[in-house]
Amino acid sequence: MPHALQKHYRAIIVVGCFLVLFANQGLPATAFNVYQTYLVALPGVGAVGGSLVMTVRAFVSLAVMLFVTAFYRRIDARYGVLLATLCTAAGFAVYGLWETLLGLCLGSVLTGIGYGLGGMVATTIILGRWFHGSLGVAAGFIGMGSGVASFVIPTAAAEIIEASSLSTAFLCEAGLALILALLFALLLRSDPKQVGLAPYEPSAPTSAKAAQRQRKPAAEDLVGRDKHLMMLAMVLMGGVAITGFGYFSVLLTSSGINVVAAAVITSLGGACLAVGKLVCGWTFDRWGTRTGTVLFFAILTLGLVLCATVGFGGPTEGFFAAVAYCTGIAVATTGIAVWSLELSSPAHTLATVRDFNLAYAAGGFLFNMMPGILMQFTGSYAATYAVFVVFSILSAGIVVAVYTRRLGHS
């Protein structure tokens, strides 16, 4: 390998993992909502069928994540990511070629496999092998992949649909995923040893204050009560981040904000989510994981309070709710990556990464019906965000308490 390429390979890995999440989480999940308006208008699909397409993808991704640990113990993460991205490409090809409810559900099976195999579990495994310490900025940048897709892809897809057809838009995304799969095959490596490098080690701190901020490895694996508590926190965070973000736009419109303003505010929220992941990671590295966790949970909780009361403040409050809430939920993806790596020994990292991400995804799945049910009883989606305020506070308390017991003031 040329020396110049080898010298910058860590940056290539980080960008590669960013694109992995862009392809396997961004395309089939965070950016997919643009298609819902068109799917429900298809003959034989309708509103129920449109929801079924999303539910199939979520269910399959959860099922795959149950077996992802065993999979990556046998298969190099590089090849696992390649397979996942090929499944995502195949899923969008099926969407584009078979626009019936059965075809769309089959496409969702394939994109669900891609999401489960090529999401945060795979990228966190690769990140943990390439970086020993100072994980925050790298994890934050990688996590931006799905966030960037959430405000780049919908605009492009809508233009393609209007200029050509829904099928063309799906096939274009299939082609994009296929190109990225080829890129991963050529450049992505799951271990620095594969290119003659060693894992990145942070330089020795130059002051006592810096030494206090440098994170220490966990003395023992996360088991028993602490493991169960962290899993509970991840489930609650799944509800807050996945379900909450998915219903944010309808919260705005149902609170009296017009559709155009709601769309602009929601797009702003997507941008804040993407940037927030990087800032969250930088904060973890600069001030320590525990301090960064407290700060971002505080921002998240403030955002949820604003969401719960957005009907009183109109578009202005909606703007500030989007900024605070969407910036705050960056602690979910960036935090889960860093927490799972810091709270486990190398021998059990894979299992911890899998368990945290599985619990997070399960939370999004389990609480997905809650906003509709509460809407029926209360007449407002705001009640859901009031519940999420409690979820956020409980999650913050759990994570900070576990970190304090196990890693002191890191």
Side-chain angles (χ1 to χ4, degrees):
M1 175 177 293
H3 177 72
L5 183 59
Q6 189 181 51
K7 180 180 178 181
H8 299 290
Y9 219 88
R10 293 186 189 92
I12 293 172
I13 293 300
V14 172
V15 173
C17 288
F18 169 97
L19 292 173
V20 168
L21 293 189
F22 181 94
N24 296 311
Q25 285 193 344
L27 298 185
T30 56
F32 197 81
N33 57 3
V34 67
Y35 292 111
Q36 285 299 95
T37 301
Y38 303 96
L39 293 182
V40 299
L42 291 174
V45 178
V48 174
S51 296
L52 181 61
V53 171
M54 300 292 287
T55 301
V56 168
R57 198 274 307 156
F59 177 78
V60 171
S61 64
L62 273 175
V64 169
M65 288 175 69
L66 289 171
F67 305 100
V68 75
T69 300
F71 178 82
Y72 279 115
R73 282 185 180 140
R74 293 169 174 80
I75 303 295
D76 188 289
R78 172 193 178 192
Y79 300 115
V81 164
L82 175 60
L83 175 61
T85 311
L86 289 174
C87 285
T88 297
F92 275 94
V94 172
Y95 287 149
L97 297 173
W98 194 359
E99 290 184 352
T100 66
L101 181 57
L102 179 59
L104 293 169
C105 288
L106 177 58
S108 287
V109 170
L110 292 168
T111 58
I113 294 171
Y115 187 105
L117 290 182
M120 283 299 298
V121 174
T123 54
T124 304
I125 291 168
I126 296 172
L127 178 68
R129 290 174 180 167
W130 276 87
F131 292 83
H132 291 174
S134 294
L135 299 162
V137 171
F141 180 81
I142 289 169
M144 287 175 65
S146 59
V148 168
S150 71
F151 65 88
V152 171
I153 294 299
T155 302
E159 291 182 356
I160 293 172
I161 293 169
E162 294 301 320
S164 181
S165 66
L166 177 63
S167 176
T168 301
F170 281 139
L171 292 175
C172 285
E173 290 203 36
L176 175 59
L178 193 59
I179 291 171
L180 290 175
L182 177 61
L183 187 67
F184 301 152
L186 292 174
L187 294 177
L188 194 63
R189 299 293 184 272
S190 63
D191 194 305
K193 294 177 183 177
Q194 295 171 350
V195 289
L197 295 175
Y200 171 76
E201 299 279 356
S203 57
T206 57
S207 67
K209 189 175 182 179
Q212 186 177 10
R213 288 197 304 266
Q214 182 169 301
R215 290 185 289 272
K216 302 175 292 244
E220 57 185 23
D221 286 309
L222 190 66
V223 294
R225 182 184 64 170
D226 283 349
K227 177 67 175 289
H228 295 150
L229 286 172
M230 287 297 292
M231 293 288 283
L232 172 61
M234 300 306 103
V235 170
L236 297 177
M237 283 300 298
V240 171
I242 299 174
T243 302
F245 187 73
Y247 280 85
F248 183 70
S249 179
V250 73
L251 166 73
L252 298 178
T253 55
S254 67
S255 299
I257 298 174
N258 69 63
V259 175
V260 175
V264 172
I265 292 171
T266 302
S267 296
L268 170 68
C272 289
L273 172 60
V275 175
K277 292 178 180 181
L278 184 61
V279 176
C280 181
W282 179 86
T283 305
F284 281 12
D285 283 345
R286 180 67 178 83
W287 301 108
T289 303
R290 193 181 73 160
T291 300
T293 297
V294 171
L295 175 61
F296 268 79
F297 266 114
I299 295 171
L300 173 60
T301 304
L302 172 62
L304 289 167
V305 171
L306 292 174
C307 288
T309 58
V310 72
F312 299 103
T316 301
E317 186 173 352
F319 168 85
F320 288 108
V323 171
Y325 168 63
C326 294
T327 300
I329 58 175
V331 75
T333 50
T334 302
I336 288 173
V338 175
W339 300 331
S340 60
L341 291 173
E342 290 188 350
L343 293 173
S344 60
S345 68
H348 294 84
T349 294
L350 183 57
T352 305
V353 170
R354 187 279 312 269
D355 290 345
F356 279 17
N357 280 277
L358 182 61
Y360 176 69
F365 185 77
L366 290 172
F367 292 111
N368 189 57
M369 296 298 294
M370 186 175 75
I373 294 172
L374 289 179
M375 173 66 175
Q376 292 294 321
F377 280 100
T378 67
S380 171
Y381 287 101
T384 295
Y385 292 84
V387 174
F388 286 159
V389 170
V390 179
F391 283 12
S392 178
I393 293 171
L394 287 174
S395 299
I398 289 170
V399 175
V400 171
V402 170
Y403 254 85
T404 300
R405 279 198 296 271
R406 297 180 59 80
L407 300 179
H409 295 283
S410 65

